[in-house]
Structure formats: C-alpha cells, structure tokens
Amino acid sequence: RAGRRSEATGKRYILSSEARLSSVDVGDVLKMMANESGLGETEAITCDTNFDGGAIKIGDKEVDATARLESELGVICRPNDETFRDMAEALLKAK
C-alpha cells in the first residue's frame, strides 16, 4: 500500500517503534515468558546492568517518526511489550 501513496514515492523507510529499552527490561520479559511457558531457566537469564545506551541514552529517541509513519504510510507500530513477549517466546522455543 505504501508503494501506491504519493507521499512515499522515492523514499526509503526502515520501520521501528523507536524505543530503546534497557537490557534489564528485556531480561524481565524473558524471565516472565520463561516462567509462563515453562521454557528455559530463569536463573540462566542475565543482563548487562551497566549499559546506558551509548551515544543515545536508553529512553531517548534517535528520531521521532511515529507521526510520519502513520501519515505517510498509514503504519502504526505494535506496542513494544507485545513485540517483546513474542520475541521472548520465539527465543525460548528456539533454544
């Protein structure tokens, strides 16, 4: 559909929710999914508690493209927590 919108003609899009989440948050979701699914061992899930995101701090945004994604492409990204739960489940099943 985006390829047919005049606003998107000649532009390249890399879609993202723009969220920068801490490894602690990711680890918490992985542990929760491991408990709920019975997959994996929660004590084996660790994270880097010292990483602050580097040049772009966790919680900051590189760009604010949410409005452009919706207006130019008609795209609204899924909520981060939903995406992370799906990712965690896929990772645990792949182990």
Side-chain angles (χ1 to χ4, degrees), residues 22-32 34 40-51 87 91-92 95:
S22 74
S23 61
V24 174
D25 292 340
V26 174
D28 289 345
V29 171
L30 285 169
K31 288 177 184 178
M32 179 182 66
E41 301 171 14
T42 57
E43 61 276 355
I45 298 171
T46 61
C47 60
D48 180 355
T49 58
N50 297 317
F51 182 68
M87 177 202 67
L91 287 171
L92 290 166
K95 183 182 177 206

Side-chain angles (χ1 to χ4, degrees), residues 41-92:
E41 301 171 14
T42 57
E43 61 276 355
I45 298 171
T46 61
C47 60
D48 180 355
T49 58
N50 297 317
F51 182 68
D52 66 359
I56 300 169
K57 302 301 178 204
I58 293 171
D60 289 349
K61 295 180 179 182
E62 291 185 50
V63 295
D64 193 7
T66 302
R68 286 185 59 209
L69 284 174
E70 187 171 359
S71 67
E72 294 179 15
L73 298 177
V75 171
I76 299 171
C77 292
R78 294 172 55 195
N80 293 326
D81 58 339
E82 184 180 317
T83 300
F84 264 40
R85 288 178 62 91
D86 290 351
M87 177 202 67
E89 183 177 6
L91 287 171
L92 290 166

